[in-house]
């Protein structure tokens, strides 16, 4: 998940026309939603597969720290886990950070990789998975959720600054909120 977010950070910044080298030391924040740590399960019971990088490589809380470290970013750096709303809460926190002046620029999004069956089995036994394998969010027929993989990252900055910088603006976030 760290590798994927590192790649997406480079792609998002490139798409925004921002040179990564120019961000070193800046108040750029990184906010990512992530929930499961399936990589940790891959080494379970096999102490010989643990390396010096196992602890830092499998902990979801370090996803954003890895990006900040690699690119030399000095803004807030946090990984959020609010279950299904994690990515949206990450975007909300990034917007707050920009509005509050903590960050001058923010990378925000989420990542989810399904690498082992245990978490799916656990959610099935718990009754959280949709028995028909279909997600029907906000529908009266909703009967559970369906796990999926993916990742996305956007570059955020205040609209006034984006317009002043001549940036291509894909959308404007008019409001956000937090929930779990």
């Amino acid at each position: 998940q760290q590798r994927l977010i590192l790649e997406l950070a480079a792609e998002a910044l490139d798409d925004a026309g921002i040179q990564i080298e120019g961000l070193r030391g800046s108040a750029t924040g990184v906010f990512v939603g992530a929930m499961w740590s399936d990589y940790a399960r891959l080494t379970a019971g096999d102490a010989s597969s643990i390396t010096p990088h196992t602890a830092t490589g499998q902990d979801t809380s370090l996803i954003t720290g890895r990006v900040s470290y690699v690119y030399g970013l000095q803004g807030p750096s946090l990984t959020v886990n609010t279950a299904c709303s994690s990515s949206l809460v990450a975007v909300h926190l990034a917007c707050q950070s920009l509005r509050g002046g903590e960050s001058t620029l923010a990378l925000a999004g989420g990542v989810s990789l399904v690498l082992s069956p245990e978490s799916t089995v656990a959610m099935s036994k718990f009754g959280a998975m949709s028995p028909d394998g279909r997600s029907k969010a906000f529908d009266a027929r909703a009967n559970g959720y369906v796990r999926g993989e993916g990742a996305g990252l956007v570059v955020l900055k205040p609209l006034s600054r984006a317009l002043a910088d001549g940036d291509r603006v894909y959308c404007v976030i008019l409001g956000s909120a937090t929930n779990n």
Side-chain angles (χ1 to χ4, degrees):
Q1 294 181 108
Q2 288 178 26
R3 287 191 303 264
L4 187 54
I5 289 295
L6 278 167
E7 181 180 335
L8 289 174
E11 290 178 10
L13 291 166
D14 182 58
D15 182 67
I18 298 170
Q19 297 294 318
I20 293 172
E21 301 79 31
L23 293 178
R24 190 163 298 284
S26 72
T28 298
V30 185
F31 303 83
V32 173
M35 184 170 165
W36 298 102
S37 184
D38 284 4
Y39 270 110
R41 289 183 179 87
L42 298 177
T43 61
D46 181 12
S48 67
S49 66
I50 297 173
T51 72
H53 303 288
T54 298
T56 58
Q58 68 188 14
D59 190 337
T60 57
S61 72
L62 298 176
I63 293 169
T64 51
R66 179 78 65 205
V67 174
S68 295
Y69 175 77
V70 167
Y71 297 126
L73 310 178
Q74 299 296 311
S77 184
L78 58 114
T79 306
V80 205
N81 177 356
T82 56
C84 298
S85 64
S86 298
S87 299
L88 294 175
V89 171
V91 169
H92 173 76
L93 294 171
C95 289
Q96 282 187 324
S97 181
L98 289 165
R99 273 191 227 102
E102 276 184 318
S103 300
T104 54
L105 186 78
L107 291 163
V111 61
S112 177
L113 296 177
V114 180
L115 303 169
S116 67
E118 285 84 2
S119 42
T120 301
V121 170
M123 295 306 283
S124 295
K125 288 185 176 187
F126 167 63
M129 302 294 288
S130 172
D132 61 7
R134 300 178 67 90
S135 180
K136 299 177 253 348
F138 310 111
D139 188 307
R141 299 172 298 137
N143 61 355
Y145 88 110
V146 179
R147 295 192 71 199
E149 291 186 303
L153 214 53
V154 293
V155 176
L156 301 175
K157 65 165 76 169
L159 180 60
S160 58
R161 181 166 166 227
L163 294 173
D165 292 346
D167 294 336
R168 178 181 47 223
V169 176
Y170 289 115
C171 72
V172 176
I173 299 172
L174 297 177
S176 64
T178 59
N179 204 346
N180 187 329

